[in-house]
Amino acid sequence: MTNIHRGKRIVLASNNAGKVREINQLLAEQEIQIIPQREFGVPEAEETGLTFVENALIKARNAALHSDLPAIADDSGIEVDALQGAPGVYSARFAGPGSSDADNNRRLLEALQDIPPEKRSARFQCVMVYLHHAEDPTPIICQGTWEGQILEAPRGEGGFGYDPLFLLTEKGCTSAELPPEEKNRLSHRGQALRRLLAALSES
Ligand code: IMP
């Protein structure tokens, strides 16, 4: 990764500890200062979009507005083919409002209980956006996708969210069994953020 915008301060529009950790690791080599939105008391934005890109823009705009800084936001989720793409943009609240990762994982296993392994294909999606300011009409928008399948029981302690159920078919392990730097090298979020940094360094 090339160093961009030396010393630049950017607000990160997320309160999800797992995401914040991964994004900070990915940005460790950059000479930019990433400030979590909670440091500005940014209120949670309502994710009313039907697409990852709409929700990412809503979150980034909200964070930029309340911090007066450029903002990065990630909206992500898992699409399961046997569930016609659900939970998708509703991944964080699949088991209902305020649900925990464990609740969501349980709900996903229940929804797939009669589905055999060869029909449990799924993918993580991540849309990462950068807004220069809250009213920026030309945001930078980048995407990453990571293919796998849903296991029948959780495996591994790393990562967050659906990672213990997400089998990387070729590697034979879940994304929760990967070392953090390996997950970042391969993941939907790593792909999207590297693309975003490349686009930013050209802007
Ligand atoms: P968001 O905060 O609305 O973007 O919700 C993203 C949700 O998607 C998370 O709460 C997780 O449930 C799921 N998710 C996104 N990325 C990952 C990942 O890298 N591993 C596991 N679950 C993820």
Side-chain angles (χ1 to χ4, degrees), residues 16 19 47 59 74-77 91-92 124 160-163 183 188-189:
N16 178 318
K19 269 190 201 179
E47 295 181 35
K59 289 189 274 190
D74 142 331
D75 199 61
S76 48
S91 295
F124 279 123
F160 67 99
Y162 298 94
D163 281 330
K183 182 181 171 194
H188 51 315
R189 184 164 298 101

Side-chain angles (χ1 to χ4, degrees), residues 19 47-60 73-80 85-93 123-129 141-145 188:
K19 269 190 201 179
E47 295 181 35
T48 52
L50 295 181
T51 60
F52 294 111
V53 69
E54 286 169 284
N55 283 339
L57 285 170
I58 288 170
K59 289 189 274 190
D74 142 331
D75 199 61
S76 48
I78 195 161
E79 293 174 346
V80 180
V89 292
Y90 306 106
S91 295
R93 40 193 157 136
R123 67 204 54 75
F124 279 123
Q125 298 283 9
C126 175
V127 171
M128 193 75 76
V129 306
I141 302 174
C142 295
Q143 184 162 359
T145 301
H188 51 315

Side-chain angles (χ1 to χ4, degrees), residues 85-107:
V89 292
Y90 306 106
S91 295
R93 40 193 157 136
F94 190 37
S99 45
S100 67
D101 288 346
D103 298 333
N104 290 329
N105 284 347
R106 239 187 330 268
R107 168 101 175 79

Side-chain angles (χ1 to χ4, degrees), residues 22 77-79 122-126 144-149 163 166 168 171 174-176 178 182-189 191:
E22 290 184 5
I78 195 161
E79 293 174 346
R123 67 204 54 75
F124 279 123
Q125 298 283 9
C126 175
T145 301
W146 202 18
E147 297 285 340
Q149 72 184 68
D163 281 330
F166 190 69
L168 301 161
K171 289 196 158 283
T174 67
S175 44
L178 291 178
E182 181 74 347
K183 182 181 171 194
N184 274 336
R185 197 174 66 77
L186 300 172
S187 78
H188 51 315
R189 184 164 298 101
Q191 295 169 37

Side-chain angles (χ1 to χ4, degrees), residues 35 62 66 122 160:
I35 308 166
N62 179 57
H66 287 90
F160 67 99

